[in-house]
Amino acid sequence: MNQSEIPVVPMPTILIVDDSPSYLAALLDRLERHGFLIVLAQTAAEGLMRAAFAEPDLILLDVVMPDIDGFEACRRLKAGKNTKDIPVIFMTGLTDPKQKVTGFDAGGVDYITKPFQIEEVLARINTHLALRRANRELQDMIATLAKAREDLVRNEKLAGLGALVAGIAHELNTPIGNSLMAASTFEMQTDDISRHITAEGGITRKEFEHYIENARLSVDILSRNLHRAADIVTNFKQVAVDQTSSQRRSFLLGEVIAGNLLTLQPTIKRTPFVIQQHVPADLMMESYPGPLGQVVTNLINNAILHGYDGRSEGLIAVSAQLSAQGWVTLSVEDHGVGIARDDLPRIFDPFFTTKMGVGGSGLGLNIVHNIVTEILGGRIDVASEVGGGTRFTLTLPMSAPIK
């Protein structure tokens, strides 16, 4: 790295607010020697103005000043959007412990007692500047993690959309295949009857009646299968809208569960496992069907990946019922290998997985927990024992909170 590429680190800015010119001069001289950029103010009002303008890294604030004292000035700083996070160190000749409590309640982080020793002042300044840098780094990390979480949720939605496309293609194969077969058979019969009509002797009544009977059968097959295809497309269209928009609407829980199970068909049919649905047909909710469907899909995939790991058969049951208090209880249960007792408290933690490196990211159950608690307004519980299977139970309000 050449000299022009060396990053320039800005000098920390310190605002000193004190009505004593001698203290201001002494601090200015000593602190500038140690590489700090100093801003001075002789009144609290002037200090508040300079704090908003200069946005210093730290403020040294005298307690006893005319008009506005240091405690009130600190309260106003903490009430300001751009100054609330600036650490404030009080400077005071007072030794009353109650005054210190008042200062901490006002938002101060430390005290320097007058007359001060410059070594003590430097030590406290460096400590709180380091803490502020660490806090900023932590805030940046939190923002990065929040962005990563948004990306993960977005990727989950894209993965769900991919499964949706695969599911609709798979489900449409049968009705479209049946329709093509009926149409081609009817075409052959029509060509055959057409040749008979143009040939010498024409066709008999019996031959024509047979053709009409086959025509009715072909039309019936075409109608039933094309209606089936149309229903599949309509169902998948609604599931796609729910998964990508996360809109709140009224829906029948059984229909939403069934729609999401259809999207899993390509995955399920490659496994020896069976999924059963036991949801009352009239159970209506006012909630977010897209996130709810994502939860159910993740729990079923979790049962296939973990619950029945190494098993050649298995049943996954999705059940729901309405409680007397107006809450919906929705469970996803398997009879697989179960979860170790020591792992149970950690299964909703981000990145916790027993499948790291073999397809498990450790994010599925964490995403499930966040959706259930933050979007659907409910809670999720798990009951499991090694060798005895696992049951995840969602307790959800019939009417989810409005985001």
Side-chain angles (χ1 to χ4, degrees), residues 7 42 76 81 86 119 152 198 240 278 304 335 340 348 377 385:
Q42 286 189 277
R76 296 187 188 185
K81 181 180 179 182
I86 301 173
E119 291 79 9
L152 288 168
T198 57
H278 307 284
I304 292 172
H335 304 287
F348 295 119
E385 59 182 50

Side-chain angles (χ1 to χ4, degrees), residues 118-165:
I118 191 62
E119 291 79 9
E120 179 188 2
V121 174
L122 286 170
R124 292 180 187 273
I125 286 174
N126 287 325
T127 295
H128 290 289
L129 286 176
L131 286 172
R132 192 177 191 210
R133 282 194 300 271
N135 186 57
R136 281 175 168 171
E137 290 171 1
L138 180 59
Q139 293 298 324
D140 290 342
M141 186 180 298
I142 290 171
T144 301
L145 288 173
K147 177 66 167 57
R149 179 181 167 189
E150 289 178 5
D151 291 341
L152 288 168
V153 171
R154 190 178 301 111
N155 289 338
E156 285 277 328
K157 288 184 178 181
L158 291 174
L161 202 56
L164 194 67
V165 172

Side-chain angles (χ1 to χ4, degrees), residues 243-376:
Q243 286 188 356
T244 54
S245 68
S246 298
Q247 291 182 346
R248 188 176 187 270
R249 67 178 178 88
S250 298
F251 58 88
L252 289 169
L253 179 60
E255 290 183 357
V256 167
I257 299 296
N260 281 274
L261 293 184
L262 277 177
T263 69
L264 287 169
Q265 284 305 310
T267 301
I268 297 167
K269 289 190 176 181
R270 292 195 298 268
T271 71
F273 310 123
V274 176
I275 299 180
Q276 291 183 351
Q277 176 179 335
H278 307 284
V279 180
D282 59 349
L283 207 168
M284 180 75 73
M285 296 182 70
E286 179 80 24
S287 188
Y288 300 91
L292 178 57
Q294 186 180 353
V295 166
V296 173
T297 297
N298 281 17
L299 290 177
I300 291 172
N301 284 331
N302 186 75
I304 292 172
L305 179 64
H306 298 279
Y308 287 121
D309 184 28
R311 301 287 182 97
S312 59
E313 61 179 3
L315 173 68
I316 301 170
V318 182
S319 308
Q321 61 182 15
L322 182 63
S323 72
Q325 291 76 29
W327 288 70
V328 175
T329 302
L330 175 63
S331 66
V332 177
E333 182 176 8
D334 66 64
H335 304 287
V337 298
I339 302 171
R341 184 187 298 273
D342 291 343
D343 291 341
L344 276 175
R346 299 185 292 158
I347 60 171
F348 295 119
D349 293 346
F351 305 109
F352 175 75
T353 178
T354 58
K355 292 284 187 180
M356 189 64 74
V358 288
S361 67
L363 291 167
L365 289 180
N366 178 252
I367 290 172
V368 162
H369 182 272
N370 290 336
I371 290 174
V372 171
T373 56
E374 297 177 14
I375 299 178
L376 303 179

Side-chain angles (χ1 to χ4, degrees), residues 49-168:
M49 179 186 68
R50 292 188 182 278
F53 178 76
E55 295 186 3
D57 297 291
L58 184 140
I59 299 174
L60 296 178
L61 180 60
D62 189 22
V63 172
V64 180
M65 287 185 292
D67 299 327
I68 303 172
D69 66 15
F71 297 144
E72 178 59 26
C74 186
R75 292 187 191 97
R76 296 187 188 185
L77 287 167
K78 295 305 168 183
K81 181 180 179 182
N82 296 327
T83 57
K84 62 184 177 65
D85 295 324
I86 301 173
V88 174
I89 298 178
F90 286 113
M91 300 184 297
T92 181
L94 303 174
T95 57
D96 185 357
K98 291 182 179 179
Q99 293 285 340
K100 289 192 174 184
V101 172
T102 302
F104 288 128
D105 286 343
V109 297
D110 209 342
Y111 267 88
I112 295 172
T113 303
K114 295 179 179 181
F116 54 77
Q117 297 292 322
I118 191 62
E119 291 79 9
E120 179 188 2
V121 174
L122 286 170
R124 292 180 187 273
I125 286 174
N126 287 325
T127 295
H128 290 289
L129 286 176
L131 286 172
R132 192 177 191 210
R133 282 194 300 271
N135 186 57
R136 281 175 168 171
E137 290 171 1
L138 180 59
Q139 293 298 324
D140 290 342
M141 186 180 298
I142 290 171
T144 301
L145 288 173
K147 177 66 167 57
R149 179 181 167 189
E150 289 178 5
D151 291 341
L152 288 168
V153 171
R154 190 178 301 111
N155 289 338
E156 285 277 328
K157 288 184 178 181
L158 291 174
L161 202 56
L164 194 67
V165 172
I168 190 170

